[in-house]
PDB file of all heavy atoms in Angstrom:
ATOM      1  N   ARG A  16    -246.982-119.795-113.241  1.00 98.00           N
ATOM      2  CA  ARG A  16    -247.170-120.502-111.967  1.00 98.00           C
ATOM      3  C   ARG A  16    -248.620-120.953-111.835  1.00 98.00           C
ATOM      4  O   ARG A  16    -249.465-120.672-112.698  1.00 98.00           O
ATOM      5  CB  ARG A  16    -246.761-119.602-110.789  1.00 98.00           C
ATOM      6  CG  ARG A  16    -247.762-118.517-110.478  1.00 98.00           C
ATOM      7  CD  ARG A  16    -247.416-117.688-109.271  1.00 98.00           C
ATOM      8  NE  ARG A  16    -248.548-116.916-108.850  1.00 98.00           N
ATOM      9  CZ  ARG A  16    -248.496-115.841-108.074  1.00 98.00           C
ATOM     10  NH1 ARG A  16    -247.306-115.424-107.639  1.00 98.00           N
ATOM     11  NH2 ARG A  16    -249.572-115.196-107.733  1.00 98.00           N
ATOM     12  N   GLN A  18    -252.202-122.619-111.778  1.00 98.00           N
ATOM     13  CA  GLN A  18    -252.908-123.446-112.744  1.00 98.00           C
ATOM     14  C   GLN A  18    -252.308-123.330-114.153  1.00 98.00           C
ATOM     15  O   GLN A  18    -252.232-124.308-114.885  1.00 98.00           O
ATOM     16  CB  GLN A  18    -254.375-123.005-112.806  1.00 98.00           C
ATOM     17  CG  GLN A  18    -255.142-123.268-111.531  1.00 98.00           C
ATOM     18  CD  GLN A  18    -256.537-122.659-111.598  1.00 98.00           C
ATOM     19  OE1 GLN A  18    -257.287-122.912-112.549  1.00 98.00           O
ATOM     20  NE2 GLN A  18    -256.896-121.867-110.615  1.00 98.00           N
ATOM     21  N   ASP A  37    -246.557-114.322-119.400  1.00 98.00           N
ATOM     22  CA  ASP A  37    -246.762-113.893-118.010  1.00 98.00           C
ATOM     23  C   ASP A  37    -245.919-112.662-117.749  1.00 98.00           C
ATOM     24  O   ASP A  37    -244.997-112.343-118.507  1.00 98.00           O
ATOM     25  CB  ASP A  37    -246.359-115.031-117.054  1.00 98.00           C
ATOM     26  CG  ASP A  37    -247.094-114.969-115.705  1.00 98.00           C
ATOM     27  OD1 ASP A  37    -247.020-113.915-115.041  1.00 98.00           O
ATOM     28  OD2 ASP A  37    -247.714-115.949-115.319  1.00 98.00           O
ATOM     29  N   LEU A  39    -244.327-112.610-114.887  1.00 98.00           N
ATOM     30  CA  LEU A  39    -243.296-113.210-114.009  1.00 98.00           C
ATOM     31  C   LEU A  39    -242.196-113.846-114.860  1.00 98.00           C
ATOM     32  O   LEU A  39    -242.359-114.980-115.336  1.00 98.00           O
ATOM     33  CB  LEU A  39    -243.924-114.239-113.075  1.00 98.00           C
ATOM     34  CG  LEU A  39    -244.972-113.746-112.089  1.00 98.00           C
ATOM     35  CD1 LEU A  39    -245.555-114.906-111.285  1.00 98.00           C
ATOM     36  CD2 LEU A  39    -244.380-112.681-111.166  1.00 98.00           C
ATOM     37  N   LEU A  62    -245.442-110.941-121.206  1.00 98.00           N
ATOM     38  CA  LEU A  62    -246.737-110.374-121.612  1.00 98.00           C
ATOM     39  C   LEU A  62    -247.510-109.876-120.399  1.00 98.00           C
ATOM     40  O   LEU A  62    -247.818-110.657-119.499  1.00 98.00           O
ATOM     41  CB  LEU A  62    -247.574-111.428-122.359  1.00 98.00           C
ATOM     42  CG  LEU A  62    -248.984-110.962-122.750  1.00 98.00           C
ATOM     43  CD1 LEU A  62    -248.967-110.126-124.023  1.00 98.00           C
ATOM     44  CD2 LEU A  62    -249.938-112.141-122.936  1.00 98.00           C
ATOM     45  N   ASP A  63    -247.829-108.590-120.418  1.00 98.00           N
ATOM     46  CA  ASP A  63    -248.819-108.048-119.471  1.00 98.00           C
ATOM     47  C   ASP A  63    -250.129-108.033-120.246  1.00 98.00           C
ATOM     48  O   ASP A  63    -250.263-107.326-121.237  1.00 98.00           O
ATOM     49  CB  ASP A  63    -248.392-106.635-119.055  1.00 98.00           C
ATOM     50  CG  ASP A  63    -249.406-106.006-118.102  1.00 98.00           C
ATOM     51  OD1 ASP A  63    -250.575-106.458-118.052  1.00 98.00           O
ATOM     52  OD2 ASP A  63    -249.030-105.025-117.426  1.00 98.00           O
ATOM     53  N   VAL A  64    -251.099-108.814-119.786  1.00 98.00           N
ATOM     54  CA  VAL A  64    -252.328-108.977-120.573  1.00 98.00           C
ATOM     55  C   VAL A  64    -253.109-107.690-120.755  1.00 98.00           C
ATOM     56  O   VAL A  64    -253.984-107.594-121.622  1.00 98.00           O
ATOM     57  CB  VAL A  64    -253.273-110.057-119.966  1.00 98.00           C
ATOM     58  CG1 VAL A  64    -252.651-111.436-120.052  1.00 98.00           C
ATOM     59  CG2 VAL A  64    -253.702-109.708-118.545  1.00 98.00           C
ATOM     60  N   ASN A  90    -255.924-117.320-118.831  1.00 98.00           N
ATOM     61  CA  ASN A  90    -255.869-117.830-117.446  1.00 98.00           C
ATOM     62  C   ASN A  90    -255.374-116.783-116.449  1.00 98.00           C
ATOM     63  O   ASN A  90    -255.675-116.873-115.269  1.00 98.00           O
ATOM     64  CB  ASN A  90    -254.943-119.069-117.426  1.00 98.00           C
ATOM     65  CG  ASN A  90    -254.484-119.416-116.037  1.00 98.00           C
ATOM     66  OD1 ASN A  90    -255.220-120.003-115.247  1.00 98.00           O
ATOM     67  ND2 ASN A  90    -253.231-119.046-115.706  1.00 98.00           N
ATOM     68  N   GLY A 142    -262.608-118.793-115.773  1.00 98.00           N
ATOM     69  CA  GLY A 142    -263.466-117.954-114.952  1.00 98.00           C
ATOM     70  C   GLY A 142    -263.321-118.323-113.501  1.00 98.00           C
ATOM     71  O   GLY A 142    -262.214-118.526-112.987  1.00 98.00           O
ATOM     72  N   TYR A 155    -263.803-108.685-108.467  1.00 97.00           N
ATOM     73  CA  TYR A 155    -263.423-109.999-108.983  1.00 97.00           C
ATOM     74  C   TYR A 155    -264.605-110.728-109.558  1.00 97.00           C
ATOM     75  O   TYR A 155    -264.588-111.247-110.680  1.00 97.00           O
ATOM     76  CB  TYR A 155    -262.766-110.811-107.855  1.00 97.00           C
ATOM     77  CG  TYR A 155    -262.224-112.159-108.262  1.00 97.00           C
ATOM     78  CD1 TYR A 155    -261.073-112.283-109.043  1.00 97.00           C
ATOM     79  CD2 TYR A 155    -262.875-113.340-107.870  1.00 97.00           C
ATOM     80  CE1 TYR A 155    -260.579-113.532-109.408  1.00 97.00           C
ATOM     81  CE2 TYR A 155    -262.375-114.577-108.230  1.00 97.00           C
ATOM     82  CZ  TYR A 155    -261.236-114.685-108.981  1.00 97.00           C
ATOM     83  OH  TYR A 155    -260.750-115.916-109.346  1.00 97.00           O
ATOM     84  N   LYS A 159    -265.376-111.831-113.449  1.00 98.00           N
ATOM     85  CA  LYS A 159    -265.566-113.231-113.853  1.00 98.00           C
ATOM     86  C   LYS A 159    -266.942-113.460-114.496  1.00 98.00           C
ATOM     87  O   LYS A 159    -267.067-114.270-115.407  1.00 98.00           O
ATOM     88  CB  LYS A 159    -265.345-114.165-112.653  1.00 98.00           C
ATOM     89  CG  LYS A 159    -263.906-114.190-112.129  1.00 98.00           C
ATOM     90  CD  LYS A 159    -262.906-114.664-113.195  1.00 98.00           C
ATOM     91  CE  LYS A 159    -261.541-114.937-112.615  1.00 98.00           C
ATOM     92  NZ  LYS A 159    -260.564-115.385-113.618  1.00 98.00           N
ATOM     93  N   GLY A 186    -263.540-123.997-108.686  1.00 98.00           N
ATOM     94  CA  GLY A 186    -263.979-123.652-107.332  1.00 98.00           C
ATOM     95  C   GLY A 186    -262.770-123.205-106.540  1.00 98.00           C
ATOM     96  O   GLY A 186    -262.092-122.248-106.948  1.00 98.00           O
ATOM     97  N   VAL A 188    -258.989-123.767-105.550  1.00 98.00           N
ATOM     98  CA  VAL A 188    -257.837-124.496-106.101  1.00 98.00           C
ATOM     99  C   VAL A 188    -256.588-124.052-105.350  1.00 98.00           C
ATOM    100  O   VAL A 188    -256.341-122.856-105.188  1.00 98.00           O
ATOM    101  CB  VAL A 188    -257.659-124.219-107.610  1.00 98.00           C
ATOM    102  CG1 VAL A 188    -256.530-125.085-108.182  1.00 98.00           C
ATOM    103  CG2 VAL A 188    -258.937-124.454-108.381  1.00 98.00           C
ATOM    104  N   THR A 190    -253.415-122.851-105.009  1.00 98.00           N
ATOM    105  CA  THR A 190    -252.366-122.182-105.786  1.00 98.00           C
ATOM    106  C   THR A 190    -251.884-120.969-104.967  1.00 98.00           C
ATOM    107  O   THR A 190    -252.505-120.623-103.944  1.00 98.00           O
ATOM    108  CB  THR A 190    -252.907-121.643-107.150  1.00 98.00           C
ATOM    109  OG1 THR A 190    -253.806-120.568-106.866  1.00 98.00           O
ATOM    110  CG2 THR A 190    -253.610-122.707-107.953  1.00 98.00           C
TER     111      THR A 190
HETATM  112  N1  NAD B   1    -256.967-120.536-107.050  1.00 96.56           N
HETATM  113  C1  NAD B   1    -258.295-120.508-106.983  1.00 96.56           C
HETATM  114  O1  NAD B   1    -258.889-120.934-105.974  1.00 96.56           O
HETATM  115  C2  NAD B   1    -259.081-120.023-108.151  1.00 96.56           C
HETATM  116  C3  NAD B   1    -260.468-120.217-108.115  1.00 96.56           C
HETATM  117  C4  NAD B   1    -261.232-119.793-109.182  1.00 96.56           C
HETATM  118  C5  NAD B   1    -260.629-119.206-110.283  1.00 96.56           C
HETATM  119  N2  NAD B   1    -259.285-119.012-110.298  1.00 96.56           N
HETATM  120  C6  NAD B   1    -258.712-118.396-111.502  1.00 96.56           C
HETATM  121  O2  NAD B   1    -257.732-119.257-112.027  1.00 96.56           O
HETATM  122  C7  NAD B   1    -256.781-118.495-112.789  1.00 96.56           C
HETATM  123  C8  NAD B   1    -255.380-118.900-112.416  1.00 96.56           C
HETATM  124  O3  NAD B   1    -255.139-118.494-111.054  1.00 96.56           O
HETATM  125  P1  NAD B   1    -254.208-119.313-110.068  1.00 96.56           P
HETATM  126  O4  NAD B   1    -255.080-119.909-109.031  1.00 96.56           O
HETATM  127  O5  NAD B   1    -253.285-120.192-110.829  1.00 96.56           O
HETATM  128  O6  NAD B   1    -253.422-118.106-109.351  1.00 96.56           O
HETATM  129  P2  NAD B   1    -251.904-117.597-109.428  1.00 96.56           P
HETATM  130  O7  NAD B   1    -251.890-116.322-108.700  1.00 96.56           O
HETATM  131  O8  NAD B   1    -250.997-118.688-108.989  1.00 96.56           O
HETATM  132  O9  NAD B   1    -251.625-117.382-110.981  1.00 96.56           O
HETATM  133  C9  NAD B   1    -252.056-116.255-111.683  1.00 96.56           C
HETATM  134  C10 NAD B   1    -251.054-115.948-112.759  1.00 96.56           C
HETATM  135  O10 NAD B   1    -251.499-114.810-113.493  1.00 96.56           O
HETATM  136  C11 NAD B   1    -250.393-113.980-113.730  1.00 96.56           C
HETATM  137  N3  NAD B   1    -250.760-112.591-113.974  1.00 96.56           N
HETATM  138  C12 NAD B   1    -251.309-111.710-113.091  1.00 96.56           C
HETATM  139  N4  NAD B   1    -251.466-110.521-113.676  1.00 96.56           N
HETATM  140  C13 NAD B   1    -251.002-110.637-114.948  1.00 96.56           C
HETATM  141  C14 NAD B   1    -250.899-109.754-116.049  1.00 96.56           C
HETATM  142  N5  NAD B   1    -251.277-108.457-115.955  1.00 96.56           N
HETATM  143  N6  NAD B   1    -250.392-110.215-117.222  1.00 96.56           N
HETATM  144  C15 NAD B   1    -249.997-111.512-117.314  1.00 96.56           C
HETATM  145  N7  NAD B   1    -250.071-112.394-116.319  1.00 96.56           N
HETATM  146  C16 NAD B   1    -250.570-111.953-115.141  1.00 96.56           C
HETATM  147  C17 NAD B   1    -249.549-114.116-112.469  1.00 96.56           C
HETATM  148  O11 NAD B   1    -248.238-113.643-112.647  1.00 96.56           O
HETATM  149  C18 NAD B   1    -249.669-115.611-112.209  1.00 96.56           C
HETATM  150  O12 NAD B   1    -248.659-116.320-112.874  1.00 96.56           O
HETATM  151  C19 NAD B   1    -257.109-117.030-112.493  1.00 96.56           C
HETATM  152  O13 NAD B   1    -257.847-116.502-113.564  1.00 96.56           O
HETATM  153  C20 NAD B   1    -257.980-117.097-111.256  1.00 96.56           C
HETATM  154  O14 NAD B   1    -258.838-116.001-111.138  1.00 96.56           O
HETATM  155  C21 NAD B   1    -258.491-119.394-109.253  1.00 96.56           C
END
Side-chain angles (χ1 to χ4, degrees):
R16 74 176 195 199
Q18 295 174 52
D37 206 305
L39 298 177
L62 176 81
D63 178 340
V64 294
N90 163 77
Y155 184 72
K159 293 299 190 180
V188 185
T190 69

